[in-house]
Amino acid sequence: MKEDVTKIVSVGQIDIGVPSERPQPDFSDLPIIAMRDLVLFPGVTFPITLGREASVKTAVAAADRHIPVGVFCQKEASVEHPSLSDLYDVGVVADVLKTFDLPDGTHTAILSAREKIKLVGPSVGNVIPGALSAEVKSARDTMSRPSDKEFIALVDDIRQTTLNILHSGNDKMSDLAFNIENIPGPQLLINIICTHSPFPPEVKVELLRKSRMKERAQLLLSHLAHSEEMAEIRAEVHRKARRNIDEQQRNAFLQHQFDVLREELYGDDDDCRVIEEKAKDIPFPEDVRRLFDKELEKLRRLNPQSPDYSVQYSYLQLLIDLPWGKFSELDADFPSAERVLDEDHYGLEKVKERILEQLAVMMNTPEGRSPIICLVGAPGVGKTSLGQSIAKALGRKYQRVSLGGLHDEAEIRGHRRTYIGAMPGRIIDAIKRAGTSNPVLLLDEIDKTGSDFKGDPSSALLEVLDPEQNNRFHDNYVDVDYDLSHVLFIATANTLSTIPRPLLDRMEIIDISGYLPEEKIEIARRHLIPRLAADNGFAEGEIRFSDEALAKIIESYTSESGVRMLEKEIAKVIRKIVLNKMRGKDFKLNVEADDLRDYLGVETFTPERYEVSDTPGVATGLAWTAVGGEILFIESSFTQGKGEKLTITGNLGDVMKESAVIATQVVKARAENYGIEPESFENRQLHIHVPEGAIPKDGPSAGITMCVSILSALTGRPVRSRLAMTGEITLRGKVLPVGGIKEKILAAKRAGITDIILCADNRKNIEDIKPVYLSGLTFHYVTTIDEVFDFALGGK
């Protein structure tokens, strides 16, 4: 609107030579000048720019011949050659006072509007050849009475509102405001403001259509009020923007001064610049990016010589080092994964099958959640190396987190940075070392965490190992959430008894029971001997161990489920060979069983062998231990006497003592079936003993063995030769299944047992064992103790 008003003043200062008597227009044949976006009102003088050639010719001819023209606005400004149908139906009759040819090649004409007209239709003649012409009719405006106070008030409001808009726009508009204040007559004031106001053409046409000046004034005031409100809003926005710019300039100036002073005091700020440069390409989450920028500003304000500077720098360096958005590509070659597990681990068929199931699911659905796997087994069975093989098979980075002996919850969640020497927890540290957000993390010895006044690490692990929570794991040192949902966690433990139940529920347990002697021999040949020989400087295949030598080391020098002690003993043999070689003595590279005493000394362990005995009261049972299976002798004897009726010795646990009491009652209930008078128990004392009293023993699996031992002692019948048994007994004489069958069967075979009595429900456990390990053994499945007595003692 400011630009348009400027034109008003300019026109007012030009001597345009308006004739005192204007020629009357011919309404039947009036030349037309079509305007793209200008709506001219009666009584207004206005300069226009002529762009179309037809408009230039019409304006020049009209000015030269003093012919009035009709000025109409186009409905669509984009129409280049408008016809009458492209024009609004209302316009004005105007005189072309003067035309100008400007230096830039454009043409300008000054028009002076007379009265309002309406289009009727095409004209019959053509007063200016080649010009657009039309037949029109007069549509004069109706003036309000000078005594109409409402109209006078409307005009005053229009004048004031217009002045307000001018003053709010620019302080230099005082001259324009002066001209507005001095326009004579309310009609001219209204029409000038209508012409120059920045309203759309359709709004101005609507104003022009109002023939009564009072109605036009009311509509104009409504539009001006809206424009005034918008002008105030724009002015307020402008003021706020200006304040913000001034504040930003002030802050920028102060920051520049601070940077100059800092550089003078402490030298060039390389640390901040290097960190900021590194962080540019890191895909931080939005909240982490905000925190990083905030902490970087803190670092800039710190004195490099202050202790807080190194703490802040270390924190920012950790944020940069964490693998935000970095992932290892999944190796989806399943045959290769299967080959890796077979090459790295011999035996453990069921364990490898379960792991392969999980690897297959992960390769089939890479975006799915990975379960938390817990490998449980005795030391040395290969739990840790299984974790490494899984990472290798998946093509992921591998990191081990040792949890053994942890008592401080901060070791998992990290320390808060307010403490001196604070550092992130072991989980975040392992992620940083791995360099990817989807590594394989082995949580080693998860069963050996403790708790004290510093907290309970196993409780902190609940969040780490819960797929519903670990996508927002919060480390106290990092102080922002980190997504652990892509990490494959593998925990290892020797026992489940010390793991809290809530933590146990979050893991899928895979039991690694241990290796058979035959499997240990094969593991030694494939893995242990080649690696140890290379470590001691021998070529591949240069040192050989016979099967008998390896079997003797396993039986006489080790006692374990795994192969850790076996590895140590083989290493000891190889070191002895190296020692003899360096001393210049004779040395053998082919190790036989007879050579072991020279290398390893006397046998450390004496294998349990079955003792052939005709003594009644002695029965052979089978036991499970953490290092494998063993045979167990149970001895019973009766003596004349009164007092305590049952004595139990042999360092037995509560469960085993209860089994002895139950066994005694079962035999008493069946005494008459075997020719034993019930009164014979009254004056006799029963003593049950389990040899090797220094070794604690417990469990219910010796129940049927105790029954057989007691009945054998009562009847004087010896137990069948080379027979062993295992099973729990009830007061009703029912035989229940027990665990550890695989280890117990192998122990029986090593001891020379040929017949084994088992509960019928344990048949499925025998079917899972490879036939090669069952050769030479005969199994007898029972459901009641009477069946056991019939086979072990020859019936009633």
Side-chain angles (χ1 to χ4, degrees):
M1 181 170 179
K2 301 175 205 173
E3 184 180 352
D4 295 335
V5 175
T6 303
K7 293 177 181 177
I8 298 174
V9 177
S10 301
V11 172
Q13 294 173 347
I14 296 176
D15 182 11
I16 54 178
V18 179
S20 58
E21 294 185 4
R22 301 181 183 182
Q24 293 299 318
D26 182 2
F27 285 173
S28 63
D29 185 15
L30 187 68
I32 301 298
I33 295 179
M35 307 303 297
R36 294 185 189 272
D37 54 6
L38 172 66
V39 179
L40 199 57
F41 282 75
V44 178
T45 300
F46 194 84
I48 63 171
T49 300
L50 302 173
R52 288 185 282 246
E53 186 177 351
S55 298
V56 175
K57 289 182 179 180
T58 300
V60 171
D64 292 343
R65 297 166 56 184
H66 302 291
I67 299 174
V69 297
V71 180
F72 291 85
C73 183
Q74 296 178 197
K75 297 176 182 176
E76 295 291 339
S78 58
V79 178
E80 189 62 32
H81 301 287
S83 62
L84 295 180
S85 62
D86 296 321
L87 307 177
Y88 286 107
D89 61 343
V90 290
V92 292
V93 174
D95 295 306
V96 182
L97 303 181
K98 201 165 188 178
T99 59
F100 302 94
D101 294 331
L102 299 180
D104 59 358
T106 59
H107 306 277
T108 300
I110 299 177
L111 303 181
S112 178
R114 295 192 191 181
E115 60 179 297
K116 184 172 67 175
I117 57 176
K118 285 189 176 182
L119 280 175
V120 175
S123 63
V124 177
N126 196 348
V127 65
I128 298 178
L132 181 64
S133 61
E135 181 182 353
V136 299
K137 65 178 181 179
S138 176
R140 293 178 180 275
D141 294 332
T142 303
M143 277 296 297
S144 296
R145 297 189 306 274
S147 59
D148 190 343
K149 294 182 179 180
E150 184 179 355
F151 178 70
I152 294 172
L154 276 173
V155 173
D156 289 341
D157 283 348
I158 289 172
R159 189 192 307 272
Q160 190 59 47
T161 303
T162 304
L163 291 174
N164 291 342
I165 295 174
L166 288 173
H167 288 311
S168 66
N170 195 328
D171 293 338
K172 298 180 180 180
M173 304 297 287
S174 57
D175 292 341
L176 304 180
F178 177 79
N179 281 278
I180 291 293
E181 289 176 349
N182 292 281
I183 292 176
Q187 182 177 3
L188 181 59
L189 175 66
I190 291 171
N191 287 344
I192 286 178
I193 294 175
C194 285
T195 301
H196 300 294
S197 296
F199 303 144
E202 57 269 19
V203 174
K204 292 187 177 182
V205 169
E206 183 183 4
L207 288 167
L208 184 59
R209 281 201 177 100
K210 301 292 184 182
S211 296
R212 296 182 60 197
M213 290 303 297
K214 186 174 182 179
E215 294 179 357
R216 184 179 298 171
Q218 290 172 338
L219 185 58
L220 174 60
L221 182 59
S222 173
H223 288 296
L224 285 175
H226 178 70
S227 295
E228 182 182 23
E229 183 179 355
M230 295 304 298
E232 290 176 355
I233 293 174
R234 284 193 294 270
E236 181 63 24
V237 171
H238 178 74
R239 285 194 295 272
K240 289 182 178 178
R242 186 58 183 264
R243 284 198 300 269
N244 290 338
I245 292 173
D246 291 344
E247 184 68 21
Q248 291 171 4
Q249 290 175 343
R250 175 178 176 275
N251 292 340
F253 173 77
L254 292 176
Q255 183 64 44
H256 176 70
Q257 297 296 317
F258 179 78
D259 292 342
V260 171
L261 290 173
R262 181 186 177 86
E263 186 172 346
E264 287 293 328
L265 289 172
Y266 311 124
D268 197 10
D269 193 8
D270 286 336
D271 290 342
C272 294
R273 189 160 47 251
V274 169
I275 288 180
E276 188 173 20
E277 193 66 29
K278 288 181 179 178
K280 285 182 180 178
D281 299 328
I282 298 177
F284 287 126
E286 185 177 346
D287 57 334
V288 180
R289 174 64 68 180
R290 287 197 301 269
L291 177 69
F292 179 85
D293 294 340
K294 177 182 175 183
E295 298 297 328
L296 183 60
E297 286 303 315
K298 286 183 182 178
L299 183 67
R300 287 196 173 102
R301 293 195 294 270
L302 291 174
N303 182 349
Q305 308 302 321
S306 72
D308 292 338
Y309 186 89
S310 60
V311 174
Q312 190 73 3
Y313 180 82
S314 299
Y315 174 66
L316 291 172
Q317 191 64 49
L318 173 67
L319 288 181
I320 290 175
D321 291 341
L322 285 176
W324 304 97
K326 293 182 181 179
F327 297 94
S328 299
E329 187 176 352
L330 178 67
D331 187 353
D333 187 354
F334 185 77
S336 174
E338 193 168 10
R339 186 169 57 254
V340 166
L341 282 179
D342 287 336
E343 289 175 354
D344 292 350
H345 295 85
Y346 181 81
L348 303 177
E349 300 302 331
K350 283 191 173 182
V351 176
K352 290 192 292 186
E353 184 71 15
R354 175 60 190 90
I355 292 174
L356 286 172
E357 289 173 7
Q358 185 56 45
L359 296 185
V361 171
M362 294 178 66
M363 291 178 184
N364 189 50
T365 55
E367 299 302 323
R369 289 179 176 175
S370 302
I372 313 301
I373 298 174
C374 182
L375 305 175
V376 182
V381 295
K383 301 184 296 296
T384 303
S385 59
L386 268 173
Q388 293 175 318
S389 297
I390 292 172
K392 181 179 176 183
L394 290 172
R396 291 189 180 185
K397 297 294 182 64
Y398 167 84
Q399 286 296 325
R400 174 179 169 271
V401 179
S402 178
L403 301 179
L406 282 191
H407 288 263
D408 190 354
E409 179 188 359
E411 293 285 350
I412 304 297
R413 293 188 184 275
H415 303 81
R416 298 192 182 278
R417 285 184 289 132
T418 53
Y419 298 112
I420 296 176
M423 56 176 40
R426 298 195 181 193
I427 303 298
I428 289 295
D429 183 63
I431 295 290
K432 184 190 78 171
R433 286 185 279 113
T436 65
S437 293
N438 63 338
V440 174
L441 288 192
L442 183 80
L443 305 179
D444 209 8
E445 311 293 355
I446 197 172
D447 58 324
K448 295 178 179 59
T449 60
S451 61
D452 55 18
F453 65 93
K454 296 180 182 178
D456 185 0
S458 61
S459 298
L461 286 171
L462 294 176
E463 181 185 4
V464 176
L465 300 182
D466 191 343
E468 299 296 332
Q469 301 180 44
N470 64 8
N471 61 333
R472 298 183 65 83
F473 173 68
H474 191 87
D475 185 280
N476 292 328
Y477 183 86
V478 179
D479 206 24
V480 289
D481 293 339
Y482 195 87
D483 187 1
L484 298 179
S485 61
H486 302 286
V487 178
L488 176 58
F489 289 100
I490 300 175
T492 69
N494 297 129
T495 178
L496 301 179
S497 60
T498 58
I499 301 177
R501 188 68 195 181
L503 185 58
L504 201 60
D505 288 342
R506 284 164 167 77
M507 301 186 292
E508 183 169 341
I509 308 302
I510 298 179
D511 185 63
I512 303 178
S513 58
Y515 297 106
L516 307 175
E518 291 82 357
E519 290 175 334
K520 291 182 180 181
I521 292 174
E522 196 63 33
I523 291 171
R525 289 205 175 284
R526 293 189 181 190
H527 302 286
L528 303 182
I529 295 173
R531 185 174 76 248
L532 293 172
D535 292 344
N536 288 277
F538 291 99
E540 184 178 356
E542 191 173 355
I543 293 183
R544 294 182 177 86
F545 284 72
S546 67
D547 289 348
E548 292 77 13
L550 292 174
K552 187 171 182 180
I553 293 176
I554 293 169
E555 282 192 1
S556 302
Y557 293 93
T558 67
S559 178
E560 60 175 349
S561 291
V563 293
R564 192 166 291 161
M565 290 180 66
L566 174 61
E567 181 179 6
K568 292 178 181 178
E569 297 302 320
I570 293 175
K572 189 183 295 185
V573 171
I574 295 177
R575 287 198 302 271
K576 289 287 186 181
I577 294 175
V578 173
L579 179 62
N580 291 337
K581 177 182 177 181
M582 299 306 295
R583 284 175 172 174
K585 296 181 179 180
D586 293 336
F587 61 92
K588 296 171 60 177
L589 295 178
N590 294 324
V591 181
E592 300 293 340
D594 296 336
D595 303 324
L596 293 179
R597 184 173 285 258
D598 297 332
Y599 293 129
L600 302 177
V602 297
E603 290 85 349
T604 307
F605 300 96
T606 302
E608 287 286 353
R609 307 299 300 178
Y610 176 75
E611 298 175 1
V612 179
S613 174
D614 293 333
T615 305
V618 180
T620 306
L622 298 173
W624 179 91
T625 68
V627 296
E630 290 183 358
I631 63 171
L632 191 71
F633 297 105
I634 295 184
E635 303 170 349
S636 298
S637 68
F638 283 90
T639 58
Q640 295 293 331
K642 295 183 179 181
E644 185 66 37
K645 301 297 183 182
L646 176 62
T647 303
I648 305 170
T649 56
N651 199 357
L652 307 185
D654 291 339
V655 177
M656 203 165 182
K657 289 178 180 178
E658 291 174 357
S659 296
V661 174
I662 294 172
T664 304
Q665 294 300 321
V666 169
V667 173
K668 283 182 179 182
R670 288 161 175 74
E672 293 183 356
N673 297 338
Y674 296 91
I676 303 171
E677 294 296 331
E679 292 79 8
S680 62
F681 288 94
E682 297 298 328
N683 299 318
R684 304 174 75 180
Q685 292 181 333
L686 172 61
H687 187 165
I688 301 176
H689 177 68
V690 182
E692 298 187 18
I695 301 174
K697 311 168 190 69
D698 203 2
S701 62
I704 65 172
T705 312
M706 288 182 174
C707 288
V708 171
S709 174
I710 295 170
L711 188 58
S712 173
L714 274 173
T715 60
R717 302 180 191 178
V719 180
R720 184 188 291 266
S721 177
R722 298 195 179 276
L723 171 66
M725 61 198 77
T726 182
E728 183 178 353
I729 188 67
T730 70
L731 276 175
R732 295 174 296 159
K734 186 176 180 180
V735 180
L736 301 181
V738 292
I741 296 299
K742 178 182 176 183
E743 290 80 2
K744 292 176 180 179
I745 296 306
L746 296 175
K749 186 176 180 180
R750 289 196 301 268
I753 301 295
T754 58
D755 292 273
I756 298 175
I757 296 177
L758 293 173
C759 175
D761 291 337
N762 284 125
R763 186 190 297 268
K764 59 182 180 294
N765 303 106
I766 300 300
E767 294 172 351
D768 281 341
I769 302 175
K770 291 183 178 180
V772 65
Y773 302 127
L774 304 178
S775 61
L777 296 176
T778 304
F779 297 95
H780 306 275
Y781 300 103
V782 298
T783 57
T784 65
I785 192 64
D786 295 317
E787 299 175 57
V788 177
F789 289 158
D790 289 345
F791 184 80
L793 300 173
K796 299 179 182 179

